[in-house]
């Protein structure tokens, strides 16, 4: 799986969907350090955000997470009481590696049964696979009741509304253009009318002046 470390680190500083202190025991691998170390629980602060489960040192959340578990292809289950651990659940991942087992099992323990139930229900409904399956189930139910695929109907309606909006915008632009040409014609017509009236008035004034000058000449 490809991911960006910086983006995942930014998400870790946001508010989580579920947060709390859990005792965590990681799966024992085939590394040289795991041969002499006995599996044990460590107290960690966990934060669930979407399908990402971050874990921190207790009271050191501001310094960034120690690691993250991507909750895809994971199986969440309750654990039976074992070695004094009464309230526990597990996360099992499928591992594709020649030198490891086919499964990697993380075990978590809580303080009470109510905490176990809240964490298990939250982890089961946090993966992308879960929400995709819920979408498929809801889509088939709606198709059986209405006889139509709801997603295809939504896409058709969305495309038709987009086409209508485009046509309305085109009409608005056309009306704006016609209005501007109309006003320009009106302005030019008024300009020509004003110019003709001014020319006629000038002619009238000149004719009056000429007649007056002629009369004055005759009388003189």
């Amino acid at each position: 799986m490809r991911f960006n470390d910086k983006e995942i680190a930014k998400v870790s500083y946001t508010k989580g969907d579920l947060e709390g202190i859990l005792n965590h025991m990681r799966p024992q691998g085939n590394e040289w350090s795991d041969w002499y170390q006995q599996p044990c629980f460590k107290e960690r602060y966990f934060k669930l955000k979407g399908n990402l489960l971050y874990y921190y040192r207790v009271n050191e959340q501001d310094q960034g997470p120690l690691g993250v578990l991507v909750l895809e292809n994971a199986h969440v289950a309750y654990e039976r009481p074992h070695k004094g651990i009464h309230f526990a659940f597990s996360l099992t991942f499928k591992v594709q590696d020649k030198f490891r087992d086919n499964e990697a099992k993380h075990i978590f323990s809580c303080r009470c049964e109510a905490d176990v139930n809240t964490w298990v229900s939250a982890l089961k409904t946090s993966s992308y696979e879960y929400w995709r399956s819920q979408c498929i189930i809801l889509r088939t139910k709606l198709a059986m009741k209405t006889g139509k695929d709801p997603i295809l109907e939504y896409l058709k309606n969305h495309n038709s509304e987009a086409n209508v909006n485009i046509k309305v915008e085109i009409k608005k632009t056309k009306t704006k253009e016609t209005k501007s040409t109309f006003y320009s014609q009106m302005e030019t017509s008024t300009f020509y009318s004003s110019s003709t009236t001014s020319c006629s008035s000038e002619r009238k004034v000149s004719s009056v002046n000429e007649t007056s000058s002629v009369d004055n000449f005759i009388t003189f």
Side-chain angles (χ1 to χ4, degrees), residues 193-204:
S193 63
S194 61
S195 62
T196 51
T197 51
S198 62
C199 290
S200 61
S201 62
E202 287 177 359
R203 288 178 183 175
K204 288 180 181 179

Side-chain angles (χ1 to χ4, degrees), residues 19-131:
E19 299 180 12
I21 297 174
L22 299 173
N23 293 317
H24 173 231
M25 183 172 67
R26 66 177 186 176
Q28 190 174 8
N30 292 329
E31 297 178 358
W32 67 271
S33 60
D34 295 330
W35 285 103
Y36 64 89
Q37 289 182 358
Q38 294 182 356
C40 61
F41 284 92
K42 292 183 179 180
E43 194 175 32
R44 295 285 183 253
Y45 185 87
F46 284 86
K47 179 190 289 186
L48 179 63
K49 182 67 177 179
N51 62 346
L52 301 175
L53 182 62
Y54 297 93
Y55 56 94
Y56 310 76
R57 289 190 177 91
V58 180
N59 298 325
E60 294 183 2
Q61 291 85 9
D62 297 334
Q63 297 181 5
L66 294 174
V68 60
L69 299 175
V70 182
L71 302 175
E72 299 297 336
N73 296 324
H75 178 68
V76 186
Y78 291 95
E79 288 291 321
R80 294 179 180 179
H82 179 67
K83 294 183 179 180
I85 300 167
H86 298 283
F87 309 110
F89 64 95
S90 63
L91 272 173
T92 306
F93 295 91
K94 294 180 181 179
V95 179
Q96 296 179 354
D97 195 346
K98 295 180 181 179
F99 302 100
R100 293 186 181 181
D101 296 333
N102 293 328
E103 293 182 350
K105 190 174 184 179
H106 297 260
I107 300 175
F108 305 87
S109 66
C110 303
R111 296 178 180 177
C112 61
E113 187 176 358
D115 292 341
V116 175
N117 293 328
T118 54
W119 275 103
V120 169
S121 60
L123 292 171
K124 283 184 176 180
T125 59
S126 62
S127 65
Y128 170 77
E129 294 176 354
Y130 171 79
W131 290 109

Side-chain angles (χ1 to χ4, degrees), residues 105-172:
K105 190 174 184 179
H106 297 260
I107 300 175
F108 305 87
S109 66
C110 303
R111 296 178 180 177
C112 61
E113 187 176 358
D115 292 341
V116 175
N117 293 328
T118 54
W119 275 103
V120 169
S121 60
L123 292 171
K124 283 184 176 180
T125 59
S126 62
S127 65
Y128 170 77
E129 294 176 354
Y130 171 79
W131 290 109
R132 184 174 179 273
S133 63
Q134 293 296 314
C135 180
I136 292 171
I137 292 169
L138 183 60
R139 183 177 179 180
T140 52
K141 286 181 179 180
L142 292 174
M144 289 175 66
K145 287 184 178 181
T146 61
K148 296 179 182 180
D149 191 351
I151 295 176
L152 294 177
E153 290 294 323
Y154 172 77
L155 292 174
K156 288 179 182 178
N157 295 327
H158 183 70
N159 291 328
S160 62
E161 289 178 359
N163 293 326
V164 169
N165 292 328
I166 290 169
K167 290 180 181 179
V168 169
E169 289 179 358
I170 291 170
K171 287 182 179 179
K172 286 181 180 179

